[in-house]
Amino acid sequence: MQLDKFSDYALRILITLAVRAPERVATSEIAGLFAISDNHLSKVATQLAREGFVRSERGRNGGLTLLQPAEEIRIGVVLRALKREEPVAECFGGNKTCLILPVCGLRGPLAQAQEAFFATLDGYTLADIVGQRAGLASLLRVEVEDTNAQLTS
């Protein structure tokens, strides 16, 4: 399976918010970091807010924040929420015109493969994928507390 740009961008937003938590981050700032269209990223952020993963606040001090701790956000759940309207193959959607549909043996394996993809990602949380927080913070140009320094002090 391959992630489309929409899902990829959604995960980039969530990763950025997890690294910067609990700080609010403007969509335009995330768009700038990844050299992505602000308009397109705003659409992705709107969908993440609609699905209950982020809070979006408007205004001068507005921005995005995670609605749940990163440890509670399962990657499979995020992708299912974003992809539920997009079938894995044409015949899973509204188009039922395929000639071989009544006897096709491919639908079952495709459905299983898609579920296996999501099930694997259900085993990972947002916290798992931002495990190298210091490295991510450096790449995202953010200062993060060094938890190792606190432990040795």
Side-chain angles (χ1 to χ4, degrees):
M1 300 224 33
Q2 182 176 355
L3 289 182
D4 63 357
K5 284 184 180 182
F6 194 91
S7 298
D8 178 25
Y9 295 169
L11 293 174
R12 291 184 200 200
I13 289 171
L14 293 175
I15 289 167
T16 303
L17 296 179
V19 170
R20 304 262 306 255
E23 180 182 338
R24 268 190 219 116
V25 185
T27 306
S28 58
E29 185 178 347
I30 298 170
L33 285 169
F34 290 106
I36 298 170
S37 157
D38 187 18
N39 187 39
H40 189 66
L41 206 67
S42 292
K43 292 176 186 174
V44 177
T46 298
Q47 183 68 24
L48 285 171
R50 190 176 305 129
E51 296 295 338
F53 298 109
V54 302
R55 173 179 292 122
S56 177
E57 296 181 41
R58 294 187 176 271
R60 201 171 80 152
N61 294 322
L64 302 172
T65 53
L66 294 176
L67 270 177
Q68 303 169 339
E71 295 80 16
E72 294 177 18
I73 299 175
R74 299 230 160 254
I75 303 306
V77 172
V78 171
L79 293 177
R80 270 190 197 92
L82 297 175
K83 305 309 297 168
R84 79 172 146 250
E85 301 298 323
E86 293 181 32
V88 66
E90 190 175 290
C91 58
F92 285 86
N95 186 350
K96 305 286 187 206
T97 60
C98 180
L99 176 67
I100 63 172
L101 185 62
V103 294
C104 181
L106 188 56
R107 287 175 54 111
L110 284 176
Q112 284 181 319
Q114 182 180 33
E115 186 47 41
F117 175 78
F118 290 133
T120 297
L121 293 172
D122 283 338
Y124 296 90
T125 66
L126 183 56
D128 294 330
I129 63 174
V130 296
Q132 296 201 8
R133 193 167 184 229
L136 284 167
S138 173
L139 293 170
L140 295 173
R141 296 179 229 132
V142 187
E143 288 196 30
V144 180
E145 275 183 30
D146 184 358
T147 54
N148 292 330
Q150 290 178 349
L151 296 174
T152 58
S153 303

